[in-house]
Amino acid sequence: NWERFQRDPKAVHFSYRDRYQAYAGELKKVGLEPIPLVGYDPAVLAATLTREKVTAALSLRSPPPEVLFLAAQRAGLAIPESLSLASFDVEARLPVRGFCVGGITHDRFEKGELAASLILEQVDAPGKPVLSCSYTGTYLEGDSIRLPPVK
């Protein structure tokens, strides 16, 4: 998806584009630039984590938190002490190597109901523009996110 997104942001599903642009926008508001972590090769990702001195990684589904965990190990980065790891998707509920990855969890049933209702709207009104919608999520700190010190 990342390569297609770079060539043409409209070439990827709007949810991928919208999530990335929202995340990048929030980083830029506080003077930070996003560093895309692309692929599934822990060695390549470990090199990027080291070269860019990454202190937090957010999975938008790819690379999966499990792969980022392996990359962090390879780079000698302890989670969460040296690298916070968070997920924007269901992986946040799954334990990785004995601990729970933090981030935003989503109710898959709720998402399925929403998707089905949007499909049925298209069946009832072919050609009608598909509206963007959102669904709720729950923040889960888990074991992989290091919170900033309280001032």
Side-chain angles (χ1 to χ4, degrees), residues 61-151:
R61 196 155 185 81
S62 173
E66 300 88 341
V67 174
L68 288 171
F69 182 89
L70 293 173
Q73 276 188 325
R74 194 171 204 138
L77 300 172
I79 296 174
E81 294 80 10
S82 301
L83 177 71
S84 286
L85 178 58
S87 174
F88 250 142
D89 210 347
V90 71
E91 293 93 349
R93 288 190 264 193
L94 303 176
V96 176
R97 303 283 174 143
F99 66 88
C100 187
V101 175
I104 303 296
T105 64
H106 302 287
D107 185 322
R108 289 280 197 205
F109 184 78
E110 177 188 347
K111 285 170 58 173
E113 282 186 321
L114 181 57
S117 70
L118 293 172
I119 290 169
L120 291 173
E121 282 181 27
Q122 288 298 298
V123 170
D124 288 342
K128 178 182 172 189
V130 178
L131 300 176
S132 180
C133 58
S134 61
Y135 48 88
T136 59
T138 303
Y139 173 72
L140 173 68
E141 187 175 315
D143 302 314
S144 65
I145 298 173
R146 183 176 184 184
L147 298 177
V150 178
K151 294 180 181 182

Side-chain angles (χ1 to χ4, degrees), residues 2-64:
W2 180 253
E3 289 80 11
R4 287 189 305 150
F5 176 74
Q6 289 298 300
R7 286 192 304 272
D8 178 11
K10 293 180 181 174
V12 297
H13 192 270
F14 69 88
S15 66
Y16 181 92
R17 180 185 62 241
D18 291 353
R19 283 181 294 174
Y20 176 76
Q21 289 174 340
Y23 171 66
E26 290 301 313
L27 284 176
K28 289 177 181 183
K29 283 181 188 175
V30 295
L32 298 171
E33 281 296 319
I35 301 167
L37 298 171
V38 181
Y40 294 89
D41 183 340
V44 172
L45 293 167
T48 303
L49 292 173
T50 302
R51 182 182 64 251
E52 301 292 340
K53 297 179 176 66
V54 176
T55 58
L58 177 62
S59 172
L60 298 175
R61 196 155 185 81
S62 173

